[in-house]
Amino acid sequence: MRGKLKELRERRKLMGAVGMIAIVALIFAFVNSPAIIGASATTRKLPIYSVERSDKVVSLTFDAAWGNEDTQELIDILGQYGVKATFFVVGDWVDKYPESVKALHDAGHEVMSHSDDHAHFSKLSAAEIKDNINASCDKIEDVTGVRPTLFRAPYGEYDDHVIETVESMGMNTIQWDVDSLDWKEISAAEITERVTSRVGNGSIVLFHNAAKNTPEALPAIIEYLLGEGYTIVPVSELLLDGEYTIDHTGRQIPAENS
């Protein structure tokens, strides 16, 4: 009799343990389901990584923070194809190369803010973020006569605090969905392959103005895009007018489609 009671207790313990494992597994599956993750992600404040467009429109962007070896060459290449791009420049870079900033503007390219000194913005207060961006915008406006409306965070780093502060200034924070990785000094062929294999309607492509092989890669990339029927426009022309939302991937979509 005692043996049977002991066996029954052991079975109950085993069934209880199995039941607890099953409950934990169900909770884990529920919390980590795509629907739940997506719902959680949409509560985050995100920059614009890309834009939902039915037409074949893309933007080429260049970050300028340090060197200035090939800015004029990039202007010349873009000019050969009649392409207008967006350059996100650091205020310190404007101080060093005001003639290049003016050349970019005179060639019809957008010159937007990439901060004043390439700081880590998530470590700054709201007041410091505003002062930093305004300082860079003041410098750009002094040279071009046009005040920036777009901002790209240094290092691509951001959090809710950064995005909310930039939005409170009436500016959009712009990220990218196609990274050329040109800053790694990969070959022109690799840069071209990365961009052409990843680009799509509404893409924002990231380059740098002083990357070693970008000037060599740029003509082939532009020729591919034009050959595929894409129109290349500055970011401000890529963005949607009117009401919109930003999904969990950072894609800007019309409000009626959200």
Side-chain angles (χ1 to χ4, degrees):
M1 184 69 178
R2 288 180 179 177
K4 289 184 178 180
L5 288 173
K6 183 177 180 182
E7 182 180 351
L8 181 60
R9 290 194 191 100
E10 292 298 327
R11 285 182 180 179
R12 285 177 177 173
K13 286 181 181 179
L14 179 61
M15 290 175 66
V18 171
M20 183 60 68
I21 291 171
I23 290 170
V24 171
L26 285 171
I27 293 172
F28 181 83
F30 176 75
V31 171
N32 288 278
S33 71
I36 298 301
I37 291 175
S40 175
T42 56
T43 64
R44 288 190 62 201
K45 300 291 289 185
L46 296 174
I48 296 172
Y49 281 75
S50 64
V51 180
E52 183 174 293
R53 299 281 302 243
S54 59
D55 50 348
K56 302 186 75 168
V57 184
V58 299
S59 289
L60 305 183
T61 68
F62 298 81
D63 288 359
W66 291 284
N68 192 37
E69 295 85 346
D70 53 23
T71 304
Q72 187 57 53
E73 186 176 1
L74 294 175
I75 292 173
D76 293 341
I77 293 170
L78 293 167
Q80 289 171 13
Y81 295 94
V83 168
K84 307 303 180 188
T86 300
F87 285 75
F88 290 94
V89 305
V90 171
D92 288 347
W93 193 83
V94 179
D95 290 336
K96 294 178 181 178
Y97 311 109
E99 71 288 347
S100 290
V101 176
K102 186 175 186 304
L104 288 168
H105 173 72
D106 290 348
H109 303 296
E110 288 187 333
V111 183
M112 298 294 179
S113 174
H114 192 31
S115 82
D116 194 48
D117 55 2
H118 216 267
H120 292 276
F121 267 49
S122 59
K123 297 180 180 179
L124 304 181
S125 68
E128 289 171 330
I129 290 172
K130 291 178 180 178
D131 287 346
N132 191 300
I133 295 176
N134 278 324
S136 70
C137 290
D138 288 345
K139 294 174 182 179
I140 293 168
E141 187 175 15
D142 285 345
V143 175
T144 67
V146 179
R147 193 165 189 82
T149 57
L150 306 177
F151 168 74
R152 174 168 284 165
Y155 309 103
E157 294 177 356
Y158 63 87
D159 54 20
D160 289 3
H161 165 63
V162 173
I163 304 302
E164 288 171 353
T165 302
V166 175
E167 287 179 349
S168 75
M169 300 175 68
M171 302 178 72
N172 285 313
T173 304
I174 305 298
Q175 201 82 337
W176 57 85
D177 66 326
V178 180
D179 188 348
S180 68
L181 292 184
D182 58 353
W183 59 274
K184 288 189 172 183
E185 296 192 355
I186 60 177
S187 70
E190 290 175 292
I191 293 171
T192 301
E193 191 280 331
R194 281 193 58 82
V195 173
T196 57
S197 66
R198 290 166 172 79
V199 73
N201 294 7
S203 281
I204 298 173
V205 186
L206 172 66
F207 297 103
H208 296 79
N209 78 305
K212 182 178 180 182
N213 296 311
T214 301
E216 183 182 349
L218 192 56
I221 291 170
I222 293 174
E223 288 173 10
Y224 170 84
L225 292 172
L226 297 178
E228 290 295 311
Y230 285 98
T231 299
I232 304 170
V233 300
V235 173
S236 66
E237 296 181 24
L238 182 74
L239 300 181
L240 300 175
D241 294 324
E243 295 296 319
Y244 67 85
T245 60
I246 298 176
D247 72 11
H248 68 281
T249 69
R251 191 165 182 82
Q252 186 191 39
I253 59 178
E256 61 267 22
N257 294 351
S258 60

